[in-house]
């Protein structure tokens, strides 16, 4: 999702990298409120970075979960986004992500639900025949200069309110990726998958500090300090 400079206090192009099952729909929906759109699931479709070079072989993730490297290229080449472009993302406990992904896939909204064996080995595909976005590790969506917020710490909301005080949150979106009630969990067959050690290390590091700030992120010293001193809202 690409937010133009005039909609944030830092006057930069903001690129939200939507890692699956990390609360991204709630963030996209809230950002859509900056231009007066009703907060909700439909507004999460607003300003998504869409591919402009079809057929180049990079067909996983669609426009919803586009990896940062491709999203940056598309933002610059096709959306003519002015520099600097500051990208940010959220990462989440790998077990919670797997549980949320399995629950979503079992609903079979857009494709037949995969078997547990296929889910456990990430051997399932989307309706277009590409490896499903949920089958990719969280770190695979990030770039070397992406700000990485910890889902557990919630500082991404403090960051967004700092840049856009007018931002509104839809309370219902807070439960979109929440763990289902224990009663529901007990009634639903569970399925686990082997976690990515890189993802586990990434999430653990982000959980400690709240947000990982790469040295190459296009930030001033004052902006880095502002991010490091964020408090939960």
């Amino acid at each position: 999702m690409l937010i133009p400079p005039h909609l944030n206090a830092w006057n930069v192009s903001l690129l939200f990298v939507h890692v699956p099952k990390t609360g991204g729909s709630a963030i996209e929906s809230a950002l859509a409120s900056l231009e007066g759109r009703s907060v909700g699931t439909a507004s999460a479709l607003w300003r998504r970075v869409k591919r402009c070079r079809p057929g180049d072989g990079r067909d996983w993730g669609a426009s919803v979960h586009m990896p940062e490297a491709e999203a940056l290229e598309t933002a610059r080449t096709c959306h003519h986004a002015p520099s600097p472009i500051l990208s940010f993302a959220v990462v989440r406990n790998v077990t919670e992500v797997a549980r949320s992904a399995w629950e979503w896939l079992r609903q079979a909204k857009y494709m037949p639900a995969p078997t547990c064996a296929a889910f456990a080995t990430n051997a399932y595909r989307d309706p277009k025949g590409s490896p499903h976005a949920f089958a990719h590790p969280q770190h695979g969506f990030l770039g070397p200069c992406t700000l990485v917020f910890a889902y557990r710490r919630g500082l991404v909301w403090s960051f967004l309110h700092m840049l856009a005080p007018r931002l509104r949150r839809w309370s219902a979106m807070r439960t979109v990726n929440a763990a289902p009630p224990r009663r529901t969990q007990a009634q639903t067959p569970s399925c686990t998958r082997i976690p990515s050690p890189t993802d586990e290390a990434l999430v653990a590091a982000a959980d400690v500090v709240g947000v990982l700030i790469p040295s190459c992120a296009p930030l001033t010293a004052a902006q880095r300090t502002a991010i490091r001193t964020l408090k939960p809202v």
Side-chain angles (χ1 to χ4, degrees):
M1 188 174 196
L2 187 63
I3 307 302
H6 72 274
L7 290 178
N8 66 84
W10 285 357
N11 197 36
V12 298
S13 297
L14 284 176
L15 177 65
F16 173 55
V17 181
H18 187 166
V19 179
K21 314 314 295 179
T22 60
S25 294
I27 292 172
E28 290 174 336
S29 177
L31 287 170
S33 72
L34 296 177
E35 288 194 328
R37 292 179 177 266
S38 298
V39 182
T41 53
S43 63
L45 299 173
W46 174 79
R47 289 195 181 277
R48 280 190 175 157
V49 179
K50 296 182 179 180
R51 283 186 173 84
C52 59
R53 294 181 178 180
D56 63 0
R58 299 172 299 178
D59 51 0
W60 66 273
S63 60
V64 180
H65 303 296
M66 190 182 294
E68 193 232 33
E70 184 180 351
L72 276 176
E73 177 189 345
T74 302
R76 290 169 176 149
T77 305
C78 306
H79 295 261
H80 308 293
S83 296
I85 301 178
L86 178 62
S87 63
F88 69 100
V90 178
V91 294
R92 185 183 183 186
N93 176 279
V94 294
T95 301
E96 294 178 0
V97 167
R99 182 191 299 120
S100 183
W102 176 244
E103 292 287 340
W104 192 93
L105 290 166
R106 277 183 54 80
Q107 297 176 35
K109 290 183 177 180
Y110 305 108
M111 56 177 281
T115 64
C116 181
F119 179 79
T121 57
N122 294 315
Y124 55 102
R125 295 180 175 271
D126 64 21
K128 296 181 180 180
S130 304
H132 199 284
F134 291 5
H136 293 272
Q138 297 180 63
H139 70 270
F141 292 88
L142 310 178
C145 303
T146 308
L147 294 179
V148 181
F149 289 87
Y151 178 94
R152 183 175 67 84
R153 298 285 295 273
L155 292 182
V156 68
W157 291 107
S158 305
F159 170 71
L160 292 175
H161 279 289
M162 176 175 66
L163 266 63
R166 296 186 298 106
L167 180 139
R168 293 183 294 113
R169 295 172 67 178
W170 182 36
S171 58
M173 293 300 289
R174 299 178 187 178
T175 62
V176 168
N177 289 327
R182 292 183 180 179
R183 187 174 183 181
T184 302
Q185 291 185 40
Q187 296 173 346
T188 303
S190 62
C191 184
T192 60
R193 62 185 179 189
I194 299 174
S196 160
T198 302
D199 278 1
E200 290 183 315
L202 175 67
V203 173
D207 280 348
V208 170
V209 295
V211 54
L212 302 175
I213 310 174
S215 59
C216 59
L219 296 164
T220 65
Q223 289 169 343
R224 290 178 183 274
T225 299
I227 294 173
R228 290 194 185 99
T229 56
L230 288 171
K231 303 295 182 183
V233 293

